[in-house]
Amino acid sequence: MTKYVELHAHSYYSLLDGASPPEELLRRAAELGMEALALTDHDAVYGAVPFVKHARELGIRPILGAELTLAGAQEPHHLTLLVENATGWANLCQLITLARHHAPKGAALLPEALLAEHTDGLIALSGCRLGAVTTALRRDDPSSALQAAKRYREWFGRDHFYIELQHHRLPHDERLNAELATIAEQIGVPCVATNNVHYARREASRLQDVLVCIRHLTPLDDAAALCRPNSEYYLKSADEMRALFAAYPEAITQTRRIADRCSFELTFGLQELPVFPTPDGADAVTYLKRLCGDGLNTRQLTPTEPIDRQLTYELGVIERSGLANYFLIVWDIVRYARAQGILCQGRGSAANSLVAYLLHISPVNPLEHDLVFERFLSDERQSVPDIDIDFQADRREEVIQYVYTRYGHAHAAMACTFITFRARSAIRDVGKALGLPPEVLDRAARTIDTFKSGRIAEAGDLEARLGSRATWQQLSDLADQLDGFPRHLGIHNGGMIVMGAPLAARLPTETATMPDRYVVQWDKDALEEAGLVKIDILGLRMLSAIAESAQTVAALTGQPLDLDGLRFDDPAIYAMVSAADTIGVFQVESRAQQQVLPRLQPRRFNDLIVSISLIRPGPVQGNMVHPYLRRRLGEEVVSYPHPRLQPALAETLGVVLFQEQVVKVAHDLAGFTGGQGEGLRRALGSKRAYEALDRWHTAFLDGAGRSRVDQRLADAVFDTLRAFGGYSFPKSHAAAFAVLVYQSAWLKHYHPAAFYTALLNHQPMGFWSPAAIVNDAKRHGIRVLPVDVNASAARCTVEAGTIRLGLNQVTGFGDVASERVVTVRQSGAFQSLADVGRRTQLPPRLLENLILAGGMDAWGKTRRSLVWELGKLDYRPDTLPLDLPEDRLNLPPVSLLDVMGLEYELLGLSLRDHVMTLYRAQLRERGVLGSRDLDRCQDGDAVTVAGQILVHQAPPTAKGHHFITLEDEDGFINIIVRPDEYAQYRRVLRESPLQIIEGTLQRSRGVLNVIAGSAAALR
Amino acid sequence: MTRVWLTGAPITAEHDAVGSPLRFTWAGRTHTVQRVANQWRVDVNWWQLRLWRDYFKLTTDTGLLVIVYHDLVDDAWYVQRLYD
């Protein structure tokens, strides 16, 4: 029987023009008994890696290719290209790169002349209805069609060009195919049948129509001309294709012959890296050893026996893996940053390596923290480990530019990332296509949980407004299918690829939104899977804040701060962290952290590592937090699910907290090798790896069974690992971050003014708003001075131990506007509003913001009268500087509440007394307690409290509980709202900034929470 | 003159293995298909009322030139258009 191979298939990586992921196409191909399948997305190989990976798993031969968009004499047209061999891959990459670089972002257009230069190793099929040949035939222009076909035959060669026949049961398909077959005969090339597949199964044609509508921003009702007229673009069986092409049986057999010719396999490796030029021509290993020797000195390490042994071992593994050159490249980047005074440190698994520590890539000595080098690198592990480095966010660009300069733009690019549809955006987009009114979709998207669970009746009149249950069902089904589809391309947050050979010959690049930035067509998972080394150059605002704090302190004291020299052993720092006095401190400042720290009572560096790893969705979801705390506090006996797990879990009292422990548990209980353990850990961390996880589950139970572990117990342990999921921190990562926890806590304790100032200057960052940071500063006795047009610098500054807010804190004042005020002011202080306007020429909108934020209070005029004055002022450059006589108008003063409201709006904070002080007398009379009063209350007391909502959280792990932090003039009140109460008081809790809450006090080891019984707006 | 039945006039039809009509009975009279001049499939409007149909433009031994369609949703046949 004739076999059929589909050679023209689009996946959802054709971005809004393909309704199936590659794996779905492959699964269907497997069901149909197809031996091979080609992936030909539009001008891209985005899906190449997952396609190849899944194809191999299913035993299908993957053929790579693309449908290219060409520009010639006529309108843009399509051409199907298939990769025959490695030369063909290089040419396809170059063609896609050229096409992308000749079009605006997101589009592609390849000048035909360039195509001719890159045809080796590629097989071309003449294309779909938009191919040059077919387009000409559809225009009734057979001679142009013939010319186009001849042109392709010349460029690709007689053996590498085919006339592509398609039959979608459209009115003219039969005639077109007859004409195409004639042309094939005339020019002496074979015909080949394809189905221009856009989805795996017919049912998905609806999703395809919706995608087309999303792409064209058109509702389905108006999209008849854009959508295909039927649903025949699915992956068809050999029988179906044979029936459609009964007149051209050769076109079917040809598919198999072409597939057999395409033998290219994707492989990459370390050899792709550029060679780091060592001094004196030393080889990379020798030079790396020399640098490690230097590192022992700079890290002030005595080469003891364990250090010697570890270093020799690591260098051996690095040498055998051929990674020395890679380390040198990373070291060079870090060295450059340090030389420029840019703070940086490695994160992630690199912190497991002593070599990385000695090269100053990572900040922790792995031997001091029992870190496991094999998590980073081992002789067994085949893949190249990523090294992720955080740089201070405000200067990361300098580092990226250094890499571009050092290796050249043709050799360096950023990884891409796919912006995907999320449940909410999917509802909105599908709904728009279905023509539903935006306000109804907003409602549906907001109440998505109710919506998706099918309990639409609970959403009140939503069903009625959606028109009908059928419409709702369509919306819900399609949005569900769309969830997770890639929508467009973005730049990965820092992942850089560098290559010795020009990138374009290895994988395509395209332009990004940022000027002078190129992204490769693979995301980080694809790059890793393909074995391509990525260096993550990440921006971390906390590093910027730490760097700025250190500079401020150095400038004020004349002494440089040696943060690297901190010994992590200051009891005062641990006391502060244990008291949850951590607003602004890296990683341990969130409300959740603050709830746990008083119970955890960190006393040493390792406790900071635990704290970072513990308060994460993973451990919370896995129900790890309370067992760990109870065990730490001695309230629960430390036990292990199986005695064999004691070595792995002893450091965390029997509870799984670190990724490293997943690998150890899998080894100790189920006999997994390190590589298998790592595979399991990755599957646990992947959102879409259900099938892989099932396989690991079986392997885990089998392995445990072989070593006579009770199946139920093994199952329970696996469930624990599953719950722990991919949310976990590797311990090495937590250790690197713990350094920043300590440094930021140290700065907050010893140099608070400088620290708070830096925090304000680098917002947004962390958990708390500027208002919370300023209030925290005030509670620590630091004065905060207002924005003042004559006194403020562009950024917040420290003046004699007090903080002066910078102009950058005023809404709308970016760097440019702030700098302009400061520059203009150098010629003399501003005398009046008119003077500010004339000299700065800032737009009235910004001046109004400055007035209302209090920046001109120093002149003694009310803000309202200044705004009034601004309205009459004409300070354009060509007007005479006439001061108009002042109005005698008496404007009524604005209430204090209004003033504060405006300050919040324009500054994000208010320096006045806390808003709650305005209500305090009234509240006292009503018996409402403040945050300080709660200290005197007992567990279980009925209390009424009030405050301003600072944080409102409903983490998905909390099963419908809402956590609200109220702030008053003295501190915070933590509120827990249970699901029933939330349902009842949702509106008031969402809409009123000031709340009165009645409830019950819960007191446990220094942590206070009020369990809300009712809520009301404070007026 | 061309007569058009917007929603189609029901007929009964016999078809071959691939779904092409061989003969049909319309208003009590049987017509045998001589030649299918063109055929096409539509699948549109699914978000309201799905139109999933195989259309055939054909001539009959009775001298008709008609467009008939096979409604694939309800598996029924209709005449849509008659060319005089």
Side-chain angles (χ1 to χ4, degrees), chain A residues 284-582:
Chain A
V285 178
T286 310
Y287 190 54
L288 185 65
K289 283 180 182 161
R290 201 190 304 165
L291 291 175
C292 287
D294 296 348
L296 287 171
N297 288 328
T298 51
R299 288 295 195 189
Q300 298 175 351
L301 285 181
T302 320
T304 55
E305 198 274 328
I307 287 181
D308 260 350
R309 183 158 25 97
Q310 181 66 17
L311 188 54
T312 309
Y313 168 65
E314 287 192 16
L315 285 169
V317 177
I318 290 167
E319 186 175 358
R320 284 190 293 280
S321 329
L323 282 168
N325 178 54
Y326 173 48
F327 270 87
L328 293 179
I329 289 170
V330 175
W331 165 76
D332 175 59
I333 295 170
V334 169
R335 175 185 63 161
Y336 167 81
R338 292 250 159 73
Q340 309 307 309
I342 301 170
L343 276 195
C344 61
Q345 65 168 43
R347 62 155 80 175
S349 65
N352 287 298
S353 157
L354 179 62
V355 170
Y357 177 65
L358 294 177
L359 297 183
H360 294 262
I361 293 170
S362 85
V364 287
N365 179 348
L367 296 179
E368 282 177 16
H369 302 288
D370 286 333
L371 297 176
V372 188
F373 178 68
E374 288 75 9
R375 268 279 294 135
F376 175 59
L377 194 61
S378 68
D379 282 327
E380 294 167 289
R381 189 171 161 174
Q382 294 300 310
S383 62
V384 178
D386 269 357
I387 298 186
D388 305 341
I389 308 160
D390 287 312
F391 295 85
Q392 60 184 85
D394 52 335
R395 301 188 64 186
R396 182 179 76 128
E397 189 57 28
E398 294 173 49
V399 182
I400 290 174
Q401 289 307 329
Y402 171 71
V403 177
Y404 278 133
T405 314
R406 168 122 212 168
Y407 299 103
H409 268 89
H411 299 260
M414 311 293 290
C416 77
T417 177
F418 293 100
I419 316 300
T420 54
F421 286 95
R422 295 272 155 244
R424 264 171 233 273
S425 62
I427 293 240
R428 288 207 171 88
D429 283 322
V430 173
K432 266 188 231 159
L434 288 169
L436 297 167
E439 65 276 12
V440 175
L441 295 173
D442 274 352
R443 273 275 305 281
R446 261 185 281 126
T447 49
I448 189 146
D449 298 334
T450 320
F451 186 81
K452 286 196 72 167
S453 59
R455 290 178 285 131
I456 194 166
E458 289 174 23
D461 59 341
L462 194 55
E463 184 177 348
R465 304 197 55 189
L466 279 172
S468 70
R469 178 153 291 254
T471 308
W472 162 70
Q473 194 63 48
Q474 261 173 358
L475 174 59
S476 175
D477 288 353
L478 289 163
D480 247 5
Q481 292 170 44
L482 198 57
D483 194 1
F485 267 44
R487 188 188 173 130
H488 56 266
L489 209 64
I491 301 185
H492 179 261
N493 177 31
M496 267 196 118
I497 303 294
V498 286
M499 279 201 175
L503 265 171
R506 314 301 283 147
L507 74 173
T509 64
E510 55 185 85
T511 43
T513 324
M514 271 180 91
D516 261 351
R517 282 286 181 84
Y518 299 105
V519 294
V520 294
Q521 287 200 328
W522 290 351
D523 67 2
K524 67 178 176 52
D525 295 336
L527 290 165
E528 189 178 333
E529 186 73 33
L532 269 168
V533 189
K534 172 169 69 65
I535 301 168
D536 266 344
I537 297 175
L538 304 164
L540 192 63
R541 284 173 188 262
M542 179 51 81
L543 278 173
S544 303
I546 290 175
E548 187 181 312
S549 306
Q551 277 161 9
T552 308
V553 173
L556 292 172
T557 61
Q559 295 286 319
L561 266 193
D562 179 19
L563 289 172
D564 283 342
L566 294 179
R567 302 307 313 165
F568 310 124
D569 57 1
D570 185 343
I573 301 306
Y574 291 103
M576 185 182 90
V577 173
S578 294
D581 179 9
T582 52

